Amino acid sequence: MTEEPKTSQETLPSPETAASSATKAAGESAGGPRSLRELIDHVSGRGFRAQLPAEEAGILETLPFPFLALVGQREMKLALILALINPAVGGVLLIGPRGTGKTTAVRSLVDLLPEVPRSLCYYGCMPEDIEVGGIDAVCPECAQKYGRGEPLARMDSVRLIELPLNARMEDVVGGVDERAAAHERLRIRRGLLAQADRNLLYIDEVNLLDDEITDAILDAAAQGRYTVRRGPITATYRSRFTLIGSMNPEEGRLRPQIMDRFGLRVVVRGLSEAEERLEAYRRVHAYQTNPRKTVAQYTTETAILRDEIQAARDALAQVVLPEDVAERGLAIVRELQIDSLRAEITLFEAARAYAAADGRLQTTLQDLYEVAPMALRARRSNFMLEFFASQQVEETEIQNVLEHQINNRGES
């Protein structure tokens, strides 16, 4: 991120310290950039070796387009990285016309995803459940494992879960497991919301999503868990996911309820410079010709970026928000007349993630200004502004009548 002079302020280890020795050596030998922002800008602007022979047909393999091969779109890339570092920012909404790389950018995150603790139990039991609710807070099998000192979770990479537009409600929340029912056992099959726990949940064309499914996602996102009832059986699943959505505004508006659930909002426009558009074409053509070799050109930088994201995520709990920075942020929100408290939450959490990505333990005003447009845009409601204005007229009239009646109560 932005380079600032290092004074008495406590600092985190440099990104290279968090990277593996092989990655660190590669970055140092190449004289590569030292901050996450510089890494993105450097790779996005470097020349691309497009002379790649066509790849021979072989076993089908899904190789996402490299995140660092995306040309331009700095704000979109920054917003997605901040969401990986700090899930508390509340996810990301990408708004823009077709063909601007929104879906490609989200799917390219798979090579950058950090690690999180993952339950080894079918019911999702975790060690923190015992710490909070005691041994009865986990299933009997996990209680026995805990008593024997066996682990209840392991570290695993965050996954990208996509919610298709044609998904049914049972696909989303879960339904009766037909395989178990065939053996005269009733068990609820986990839905996509349960699978998305501690993962990224991506909804393309989120504005076209069915209202019933939208309501289920809103409820699960708000509570971090949801309950499914199918006949005599009930199951409760965790659903602590980072929500990422993309939409084309000309295809329809997004319901205010779900719009408010997205922390960072990015307006994705097409590339305006001819050189950038030509470079984007060259990279896409090379990827379509030989995806494996195209991905290989970014392997070193991708590994460095992934390690930096993990290091920033691990250090996030230590990053503090000074009082003067918080007060300035509150003043910005107040002046913009934003009512939702999620504005401050997103603004401050994004600023903390920005500082962590820059290897600092304290946020600054510059961090605030860098993330404020993404955190605060599209949060004001013209309808509510007009409603409050008209309501103020009625409130004034009520107060005048009350004062008149109280002041003249002895005259009746």
Side-chain angles (χ1 to χ4, degrees), residues 16-208:
E16 288 83 354
T17 303
S20 63
S21 58
T23 301
K24 178 173 64 176
E28 291 174 349
S29 63
R34 297 183 59 111
S35 75
L36 186 147
R37 185 196 66 181
E38 291 173 341
L39 175 64
I40 294 175
D41 293 342
H42 167 73
V43 176
S44 297
R46 80 177 189 191
F48 182 73
R49 301 188 299 276
Q51 301 299 322
L52 298 177
E55 186 174 13
E56 296 182 1
I59 299 175
L60 180 63
E61 182 179 8
T62 302
L63 292 174
F65 191 81
F67 183 83
L68 290 172
L70 295 167
V71 178
Q73 307 296 1
R74 177 183 179 272
E75 187 178 72
M76 175 174 66
K77 290 185 284 190
L78 177 60
L80 294 172
I81 288 175
L82 293 180
L84 292 184
I85 293 173
N86 186 3
V89 302
V92 181
L93 177 63
L94 307 177
I95 309 170
R98 296 180 296 273
T100 50
K102 303 184 298 295
T103 302
T104 300
V106 176
R107 290 174 176 168
S108 69
L109 292 174
V110 296
D111 293 327
L112 302 175
L113 298 178
E115 291 188 338
V116 294
R118 188 85 63 187
S119 175
L120 296 173
C121 173
Y122 175 84
Y123 300 102
C125 299
M126 294 289 289
E128 63 246 32
D129 296 333
I130 298 177
E131 296 173 3
V132 175
I135 199 67
D136 292 334
V138 296
C139 69
E141 184 178 348
C142 286
Q144 294 176 8
K145 291 174 63 177
Y146 184 81
R148 294 194 299 265
E150 298 177 14
L152 304 185
R154 62 181 175 84
M155 296 302 294
D156 186 30
S157 176
V158 170
R159 304 186 186 106
L160 177 65
I161 309 295
E162 292 197 41
L163 180 67
L165 279 178
N166 62 352
R168 303 168 303 167
M169 178 58 74
E170 284 203 355
D171 299 327
V172 175
V173 301
V176 175
D177 190 332
E178 297 177 357
R179 291 176 298 180
H183 293 83
E184 298 183 353
R185 296 175 57 192
L186 286 179
R187 189 172 72 175
I188 293 180
R189 170 178 45 82
R190 289 166 40 126
L192 287 171
L193 290 180
Q195 296 174 34
D197 185 48
R198 292 180 177 264
N199 292 320
L200 304 183
L201 179 62
Y202 175 50
I203 309 174
D204 194 11
E205 299 182 2
V206 62
N207 51 324
L208 304 181

Side-chain angles (χ1 to χ4, degrees), residues 163-323:
L163 180 67
L165 279 178
N166 62 352
R168 303 168 303 167
M169 178 58 74
E170 284 203 355
D171 299 327
V172 175
V173 301
V176 175
D177 190 332
E178 297 177 357
R179 291 176 298 180
H183 293 83
E184 298 183 353
R185 296 175 57 192
L186 286 179
R187 189 172 72 175
I188 293 180
R189 170 178 45 82
R190 289 166 40 126
L192 287 171
L193 290 180
Q195 296 174 34
D197 185 48
R198 292 180 177 264
N199 292 320
L200 304 183
L201 179 62
Y202 175 50
I203 309 174
D204 194 11
E205 299 182 2
V206 62
N207 51 324
L208 304 181
L209 200 62
D210 184 79
D211 286 348
E212 183 183 26
I213 293 178
T214 299
D215 293 337
I217 294 173
L218 288 175
D219 185 60
Q223 301 186 40
R225 65 181 62 220
Y226 69 97
T227 300
V228 183
R229 292 180 176 86
R230 293 290 183 267
I233 56 176
T234 300
T236 299
Y237 297 105
R238 291 187 178 88
S239 55
R240 300 158 296 178
F241 50 81
T242 298
L243 186 61
I244 299 179
S246 58
M247 59 174 282
N248 180 359
E250 67 181 350
E251 295 176 349
R253 298 177 63 85
L254 186 63
R255 287 174 55 190
Q257 297 97 318
I258 196 166
M259 168 72 89
D260 193 49
R261 290 293 174 184
F262 288 102
L264 302 177
R265 295 96 181 275
V266 179
V267 178
V268 185
R269 297 178 175 86
L271 300 175
S272 57
E273 300 293 331
E275 292 182 359
E276 286 186 329
R277 297 181 74 94
L278 179 58
E279 181 65 19
Y281 161 73
R282 287 170 176 162
R283 296 186 184 191
V284 170
H285 175 71
Y287 174 77
Q288 293 175 341
T289 302
N290 194 328
R292 185 175 290 104
K293 287 194 175 182
T294 303
V295 170
Q297 290 196 35
Y298 295 90
T299 299
T300 299
E301 291 92 346
T302 297
I304 294 174
L305 180 56
R306 181 177 61 247
D307 288 337
E308 288 192 353
I309 290 172
Q310 184 70 59
R313 187 180 175 112
D314 294 341
L316 182 67
Q318 305 173 51
V319 179
V320 298
L321 180 74
E323 193 69 24

